Amino acid sequence: MVGVTGGAPPRDAAELLARLNARQGRAVTFMEVCGTHTMAVARSGLRGLLPPSIRLISGPGCPVCVTPVGFIDHCLALAEKEEVMVTTFGDLMRVPGSVKEGDAGPVCTLSNAKALGARVTPVYSPLEALDIAKQEPDCEVVFLGVGFETTAPGLAATVLQAEREGVANFSMLVAAKTIPMALEVLATAEELALDGFLCPGHVSVILGEQVYHPLVETHGMSCAIAGFEPKEILLGICALVDQVDGALTRVENCYPGPVRPTGNPKALTVMNRVFEGCDSVWRGLGAIPRSGLRLRPEFRVYDAAQRFDVTLPRPVEPRGCRCGDVLRGVLDPKECGLFGKRCTPEDPQGACMVSQEGSCAARYLYLGGGDA
Ligand code: SF4
């Protein structure tokens, strides 16, 4: 059988699209699980160019989006402490915390806390936060450690540097997550009936190909690792389609330059030196065993959750926000009642509209913010 990638090597994205549109196979559903893919697919309009028989849905690939509201509450509680300066990647600044009973004011975010006088500083890297700690020894500098395997090695390296340099006024509130177990949960979700995953490119650079083998062997999923250009994404989709049409399942690496079979051993060594696996709560997916990272006991002195006592409210999602359903892949952003009305990139009501990798922001920015 000649699949969509069969025959002469495709010259460009148009040729790959033509092959996909000429396909005669059964209807298939794939999920892309990388925020950068979500943005690239929206920017290029690829989803609308695929035939109706090939459905591509977005998953929980945006680290800011999957960080639960309870973590934002924890950040806000730390920001209220006089001795603390919270440092964070900029995206997290505008993610709403819990709605409080009778609260009719502006949503509670780190950005609003800063406007009211809290010390909250956006930074580009955890090392920048460590530098601030060295420059301000009388201040407790807390970095918000949110991200996937792409970010975790940098978090780990910063903790090791803080230890080496004896920086005692630096700590991290860690909510780092790991992708493989989340994919296993999605693979078994009957409501999605997935045929395969367009695996995340950046995470795969760190983890390699082998980490997806359980999805193939245990859950019968087709997997393809793809880059981020439209042609690279289409190559990944073609590889998935070929697997389904050929009744094959495997991990296909369509991004072989950056992604090696065993990933990046140096980054993994640093990450595993500082962090250990733990259960973790994902917005939309709930608690997933072994899907998070926490500091190993010998590094817990850098754990802001242990260093500072805080009282946290009961976590309550923003009213009317359907981010959880969007992240599970069961709701298109435009089906949320707030989309494009009360919720826009300028005035986001939920995490998926805040982040530059969020599905709602992608939908709004590139595919029309109204009823398009
Ligand atoms: S449109 Fe806004 S409120 Fe609705 S799910 Fe997306 S982020 Fe949440």
Side-chain angles (χ1 to χ4, degrees):
M1 172 178 196
V2 177
V4 290
T5 52
R11 285 178 309 234
D12 54 26
E15 190 173 331
L16 285 165
L17 268 172
R19 291 187 186 191
L20 284 169
N21 277 284
R23 169 183 173 263
Q24 299 285 325
R26 70 169 173 86
V28 287
T29 301
F30 304 126
M31 175 180 273
E32 100 262 350
V33 276
C34 174
T36 313
H37 278 148
T38 297
M39 272 292 165
V41 167
R43 193 184 303 119
S44 58
L46 277 185
R47 190 169 277 114
L49 299 173
L50 294 173
S53 62
I54 301 176
R55 188 164 161 254
L56 182 64
I57 58 176
S58 300
C62 156
V64 167
C65 305
V66 297
T67 299
V69 68
F71 180 83
I72 305 298
D73 293 338
H74 202 153
C75 304
L76 289 163
L78 288 175
E80 278 177 10
K81 291 196 170 286
E82 210 165 302
E83 72 274 26
V84 169
M85 177 195 291
V86 169
T87 56
T88 175
F89 294 130
D91 273 8
L92 220 51
M93 295 280 290
R94 298 200 303 150
V95 178
S98 286
V99 178
K100 297 194 180 82
E101 208 52 51
D103 191 359
V107 287
C108 205
T109 62
L110 286 167
S111 199
N112 288 341
K114 181 179 170 70
L116 293 172
R119 286 200 284 180
V120 182
T121 304
V123 292
Y124 288 106
S125 74
L127 280 176
E128 191 183 339
L130 184 61
D131 281 342
I132 293 173
K134 287 188 273 186
Q135 288 156 20
E136 303 216 24
D138 296 331
C139 167
E140 284 283 348
V141 175
V142 178
F143 181 73
L144 306 181
V146 166
F148 294 135
E149 289 90 339
T150 36
T151 308
L155 300 177
T158 305
V159 170
L160 290 173
Q161 186 160 332
E163 184 186 52
R164 252 190 333 268
E165 297 180 345
V167 187
N169 63 323
F170 176 78
S171 59
M172 266 186 203
L173 189 66
V174 179
K177 301 197 186 304
T178 55
I179 285 284
M181 290 306 294
L183 296 192
E184 293 213 32
V185 168
L186 292 162
T188 56
E190 284 178 18
E191 57 192 353
L192 294 175
L194 291 178
D195 295 288
F197 289 108
L198 193 66
C199 300
H202 296 315
V203 164
S204 303
V205 171
I206 305 296
L207 293 181
E209 304 167 21
Q210 295 168 0
V211 75
Y212 304 116
H213 285 170
L215 290 169
V216 173
E217 288 152 16
T218 309
H219 303 292
M221 287 285 118
S222 301
C223 292
I225 302 167
F228 300 97
E229 293 302 319
K231 179 181 169 180
E232 294 174 319
I233 293 171
L234 285 168
L235 267 175
I237 295 171
C238 286
L240 291 172
V241 164
D242 277 351
Q243 287 186 43
V244 172
D245 290 350
L248 293 167
T249 50
R250 61 174 177 248
V251 179
E252 203 152 334
N253 185 357
C254 306
Y255 198 34
V259 178
R260 304 204 178 132
T262 52
N264 182 332
K266 254 190 187 168
L268 289 170
T269 300
V270 173
M271 186 172 97
N272 293 328
R273 164 93 184 85
V274 173
F275 293 116
E276 61 185 7
C278 65
D279 300 348
S280 184
V281 176
W282 296 54
R283 192 191 300 265
L285 299 179
I288 303 178
R290 291 176 290 116
S291 69
L293 296 173
R294 68 180 173 202
L295 291 160
R296 288 186 180 277
E298 59 268 40
F299 295 105
R300 296 256 167 93
V301 66
Y302 297 102
D303 186 350
Q306 301 214 348
R307 191 177 292 196
F308 303 101
D309 273 338
V310 289
T311 306
L312 297 176
R314 186 176 62 85
V316 182
E317 294 290 341
R319 285 189 197 96
C321 174
R322 305 280 305 274
C323 278
D325 294 331
V326 170
L327 290 164
R328 275 204 314 283
V330 297
L331 189 87
D332 185 274
K334 70 176 183 191
E335 292 168 348
C336 169
L338 305 187
F339 180 85
K341 300 178 183 102
R342 269 187 53 216
C343 186
T344 63
E346 293 74 36
D347 187 16
Q349 303 300 308
C352 297
M353 190 62 94
V354 172
S355 172
Q356 291 174 1
E357 297 192 334
S359 295
C360 297
R363 180 76 177 69
Y364 189 95
L365 290 171
Y366 297 114
L367 300 170
D371 296 328

